[in-house]
Amino acid sequence: MKKEMKYEEAFEQLQTIVRKMENDEFSIDEIAVQLKTAQCLIKFCKDKLTKTEQEILQIQTDGD
């Protein structure tokens, strides 16, 4: 996964993996790889959301 990825890109990739898994589009050999990729994307998205939330809280605190 590239470092400069945006949240929207990661979320879109995650949605694609989920959709393909739901539709049984992955071979047995691909499932583990895709699950690992999904796990990394979930972590990236969670981290990005947490960081953004902290930044917003800081901005609100500085504004008070």
Side-chain angles (χ1 to χ4, degrees), residues 2 10 15 22-23 26 28 36 44 46 50 58:
K2 59 184 180 178
Q15 287 179 313
E22 289 175 341
N23 293 325
F26 291 125
I28 282 293
K36 287 178 186 176
F44 174 84
K46 280 184 176 181
T50 300
Q58 184 63 46

PDB file of all heavy atoms in Angstrom, residues 2 10 15 22-23 26 28 36 44 46 50 58:
ATOM      1  N   LYS A   2       0.603   2.166  -0.872  1.00  0.00           N
ATOM      2  CA  LYS A   2       1.437   3.356  -0.979  1.00  0.00           C
ATOM      3  C   LYS A   2       1.195   4.302   0.202  1.00  0.00           C
ATOM      4  O   LYS A   2       0.099   4.396   0.722  1.00  0.00           O
ATOM      5  CB  LYS A   2       1.204   4.068  -2.313  1.00  0.00           C
ATOM      6  CG  LYS A   2      -0.222   4.521  -2.557  1.00  0.00           C
ATOM      7  CD  LYS A   2      -0.373   5.131  -3.936  1.00  0.00           C
ATOM      8  CE  LYS A   2      -1.818   5.579  -4.137  1.00  0.00           C
ATOM      9  NZ  LYS A   2      -2.026   6.212  -5.405  1.00  0.00           N
ATOM     10  N   ALA A  10      -8.379   4.271  -0.168  1.00  0.00           N
ATOM     11  CA  ALA A  10      -8.299   3.071   0.673  1.00  0.00           C
ATOM     12  C   ALA A  10      -9.685   2.490   0.904  1.00  0.00           C
ATOM     13  O   ALA A  10      -9.886   1.274   0.803  1.00  0.00           O
ATOM     14  CB  ALA A  10      -7.630   3.407   2.011  1.00  0.00           C
ATOM     15  N   GLN A  15     -13.912  -1.565  -0.168  1.00  0.00           N
ATOM     16  CA  GLN A  15     -15.248  -1.905  -0.658  1.00  0.00           C
ATOM     17  C   GLN A  15     -15.185  -2.898  -1.818  1.00  0.00           C
ATOM     18  O   GLN A  15     -16.011  -3.807  -1.907  1.00  0.00           O
ATOM     19  CB  GLN A  15     -15.989  -0.648  -1.104  1.00  0.00           C
ATOM     20  CG  GLN A  15     -16.445   0.211   0.045  1.00  0.00           C
ATOM     21  CD  GLN A  15     -17.153   1.465  -0.434  1.00  0.00           C
ATOM     22  OE1 GLN A  15     -16.673   2.156  -1.321  1.00  0.00           O
ATOM     23  NE2 GLN A  15     -18.301   1.741   0.156  1.00  0.00           N
ATOM     24  N   GLU A  22     -17.922 -11.208  -1.269  1.00  0.00           N
ATOM     25  CA  GLU A  22     -19.345 -11.544  -1.173  1.00  0.00           C
ATOM     26  C   GLU A  22     -19.840 -12.260  -2.418  1.00  0.00           C
ATOM     27  O   GLU A  22     -20.742 -13.096  -2.335  1.00  0.00           O
ATOM     28  CB  GLU A  22     -20.176 -10.281  -0.935  1.00  0.00           C
ATOM     29  CG  GLU A  22     -20.003  -9.693   0.442  1.00  0.00           C
ATOM     30  CD  GLU A  22     -20.738  -8.385   0.646  1.00  0.00           C
ATOM     31  OE1 GLU A  22     -21.099  -7.712  -0.350  1.00  0.00           O
ATOM     32  OE2 GLU A  22     -20.937  -8.017   1.816  1.00  0.00           O
ATOM     33  N   ASN A  23     -19.257 -11.956  -3.549  1.00  0.00           N
ATOM     34  CA  ASN A  23     -19.657 -12.561  -4.818  1.00  0.00           C
ATOM     35  C   ASN A  23     -18.789 -13.757  -5.203  1.00  0.00           C
ATOM     36  O   ASN A  23     -18.856 -14.229  -6.348  1.00  0.00           O
ATOM     37  CB  ASN A  23     -19.627 -11.509  -5.933  1.00  0.00           C
ATOM     38  CG  ASN A  23     -20.678 -10.450  -5.741  1.00  0.00           C
ATOM     39  OD1 ASN A  23     -21.769 -10.721  -5.260  1.00  0.00           O
ATOM     40  ND2 ASN A  23     -20.352  -9.221  -6.113  1.00  0.00           N
ATOM     41  N   PHE A  26     -12.961 -14.412  -5.698  1.00  0.00           N
ATOM     42  CA  PHE A  26     -11.562 -14.726  -5.436  1.00  0.00           C
ATOM     43  C   PHE A  26     -11.371 -16.235  -5.386  1.00  0.00           C
ATOM     44  O   PHE A  26     -12.212 -16.972  -4.877  1.00  0.00           O
ATOM     45  CB  PHE A  26     -11.100 -14.136  -4.096  1.00  0.00           C
ATOM     46  CG  PHE A  26     -11.006 -12.635  -4.080  1.00  0.00           C
ATOM     47  CD1 PHE A  26     -11.682 -11.891  -3.133  1.00  0.00           C
ATOM     48  CD2 PHE A  26     -10.223 -11.960  -4.999  1.00  0.00           C
ATOM     49  CE1 PHE A  26     -11.589 -10.510  -3.106  1.00  0.00           C
ATOM     50  CE2 PHE A  26     -10.116 -10.590  -4.988  1.00  0.00           C
ATOM     51  CZ  PHE A  26     -10.805  -9.858  -4.034  1.00  0.00           C
ATOM     52  N   ILE A  28      -9.353 -19.591  -4.028  1.00  0.00           N
ATOM     53  CA  ILE A  28      -8.882 -19.978  -2.692  1.00  0.00           C
ATOM     54  C   ILE A  28      -7.508 -19.382  -2.418  1.00  0.00           C
ATOM     55  O   ILE A  28      -7.229 -18.926  -1.313  1.00  0.00           O
ATOM     56  CB  ILE A  28      -8.841 -21.526  -2.580  1.00  0.00           C
ATOM     57  CG1 ILE A  28     -10.242 -22.077  -2.364  1.00  0.00           C
ATOM     58  CG2 ILE A  28      -7.902 -22.004  -1.510  1.00  0.00           C
ATOM     59  CD1 ILE A  28     -10.862 -21.714  -1.034  1.00  0.00           C
ATOM     60  N   LYS A  36      -5.495 -10.054   4.048  1.00  0.00           N
ATOM     61  CA  LYS A  36      -4.379  -9.288   4.601  1.00  0.00           C
ATOM     62  C   LYS A  36      -4.395  -7.851   4.078  1.00  0.00           C
ATOM     63  O   LYS A  36      -4.167  -6.905   4.823  1.00  0.00           O
ATOM     64  CB  LYS A  36      -3.041  -9.951   4.276  1.00  0.00           C
ATOM     65  CG  LYS A  36      -2.796 -11.206   5.067  1.00  0.00           C
ATOM     66  CD  LYS A  36      -1.488 -11.870   4.689  1.00  0.00           C
ATOM     67  CE  LYS A  36      -1.339 -13.198   5.403  1.00  0.00           C
ATOM     68  NZ  LYS A  36      -0.139 -13.919   5.006  1.00  0.00           N
ATOM     69  N   PHE A  44      -5.413   1.461   8.091  1.00  0.00           N
ATOM     70  CA  PHE A  44      -5.120   2.767   7.508  1.00  0.00           C
ATOM     71  C   PHE A  44      -6.307   3.708   7.690  1.00  0.00           C
ATOM     72  O   PHE A  44      -6.153   4.854   8.110  1.00  0.00           O
ATOM     73  CB  PHE A  44      -4.769   2.625   6.023  1.00  0.00           C
ATOM     74  CG  PHE A  44      -4.601   3.937   5.322  1.00  0.00           C
ATOM     75  CD1 PHE A  44      -3.392   4.613   5.361  1.00  0.00           C
ATOM     76  CD2 PHE A  44      -5.655   4.510   4.624  1.00  0.00           C
ATOM     77  CE1 PHE A  44      -3.232   5.836   4.726  1.00  0.00           C
ATOM     78  CE2 PHE A  44      -5.507   5.731   3.985  1.00  0.00           C
ATOM     79  CZ  PHE A  44      -4.292   6.402   4.034  1.00  0.00           C
ATOM     80  N   LYS A  46      -8.872   3.508   9.836  1.00  0.00           N
ATOM     81  CA  LYS A  46      -9.087   3.818  11.256  1.00  0.00           C
ATOM     82  C   LYS A  46      -8.087   4.864  11.736  1.00  0.00           C
ATOM     83  O   LYS A  46      -8.454   5.814  12.438  1.00  0.00           O
ATOM     84  CB  LYS A  46      -8.953   2.560  12.115  1.00  0.00           C
ATOM     85  CG  LYS A  46     -10.161   1.684  12.112  1.00  0.00           C
ATOM     86  CD  LYS A  46      -9.941   0.520  13.071  1.00  0.00           C
ATOM     87  CE  LYS A  46     -11.150  -0.343  13.192  1.00  0.00           C
ATOM     88  NZ  LYS A  46     -10.941  -1.455  14.137  1.00  0.00           N
ATOM     89  N   THR A  50      -8.989   8.590  13.103  1.00  0.00           N
ATOM     90  CA  THR A  50      -8.562   8.990  14.448  1.00  0.00           C
ATOM     91  C   THR A  50      -7.737  10.267  14.389  1.00  0.00           C
ATOM     92  O   THR A  50      -7.955  11.200  15.178  1.00  0.00           O
ATOM     93  CB  THR A  50      -7.749   7.859  15.122  1.00  0.00           C
ATOM     94  OG1 THR A  50      -8.586   6.705  15.218  1.00  0.00           O
ATOM     95  CG2 THR A  50      -7.266   8.269  16.495  1.00  0.00           C
ATOM     96  N   GLN A  58      -8.625  19.538  18.218  1.00  0.00           N
ATOM     97  CA  GLN A  58      -7.604  20.543  18.510  1.00  0.00           C
ATOM     98  C   GLN A  58      -8.003  21.901  17.960  1.00  0.00           C
ATOM     99  O   GLN A  58      -7.856  22.921  18.612  1.00  0.00           O
ATOM    100  CB  GLN A  58      -6.237  20.117  17.945  1.00  0.00           C
ATOM    101  CG  GLN A  58      -5.112  21.057  18.291  1.00  0.00           C
ATOM    102  CD  GLN A  58      -4.877  21.135  19.789  1.00  0.00           C
ATOM    103  OE1 GLN A  58      -4.824  20.115  20.476  1.00  0.00           O
ATOM    104  NE2 GLN A  58      -4.732  22.339  20.310  1.00  0.00           N
TER     105      GLN A  58
END
